[in-house]
Amino acid sequence: MITVVRFALKVVFMAVVFYFMTRLLPGIDVIGNPNAPLGITGTFLWIALIFAVVNAVVGPILRLLSLPFVLLTLGLFLLVVNAALLGITAALSDRLTVDGFGTAVLGGLILAVGGWVADQVLDR
């Protein structure tokens, strides 16, 4: 039961990270739905949930397949993996748009730092 609560809190935290990411990066936009039951906040929660599922299902596969490149670049290729996960999330949702690869890499970096902070806060 505690892992479900931790997962839900991480999704909420990542929704906040998505909100600030859309404010920082002009190439990443979230099209909010003000008529939805939770409004625009619900849109950010939905996108964070999709990203969490993509990261949990596709993320380990991509990390395993890209392991030689990760070792060769001393871990910097993980930014490309995070950009790919953000792109997959944008492809699955009609509410998230990512304009280019560079923007996706910067967004992936912000999401990686946000996920790390969420893990540090929630593991205590």
Side-chain angles (χ1 to χ4, degrees):
M1 182 67 173
I2 193 77
T3 58
V4 173
V5 173
R6 187 175 293 145
F7 177 76
L9 286 174
K10 187 169 181 180
V11 167
V12 170
F13 188 84
M14 292 306 288
V16 172
V17 171
F18 267 103
Y19 173 77
F20 285 113
M21 184 175 61
T22 58
R23 300 294 177 238
L24 289 173
L25 298 175
I28 297 178
D29 295 317
V30 172
I31 304 157
N33 185 4
N35 298 326
L38 293 176
I40 296 173
T41 305
T43 306
F44 282 101
L45 288 170
W46 178 247
I47 289 172
L49 180 65
I50 292 173
F51 182 76
V53 170
V54 166
N55 195 16
V57 174
V58 181
I61 297 168
L62 282 180
R63 287 182 191 95
L64 181 66
L65 291 176
S66 66
L67 186 61
F69 297 110
V70 171
L71 292 175
L72 188 65
T73 62
L74 301 176
L76 288 177
F77 195 76
L78 287 174
L79 292 175
V80 175
V81 172
N82 286 338
L85 294 174
L86 182 61
I88 292 170
T89 304
L92 291 175
S93 172
D94 59 344
R95 298 282 176 185
L96 176 66
T97 59
V98 180
D99 284 343
F101 179 72
T103 306
V105 169
L106 288 175
L109 176 64
I110 292 171
L111 289 172
V113 170
W116 177 78
V117 169
D119 287 339
Q120 295 301 312
V121 169
L122 294 175
D123 281 344
R124 300 195 188 250

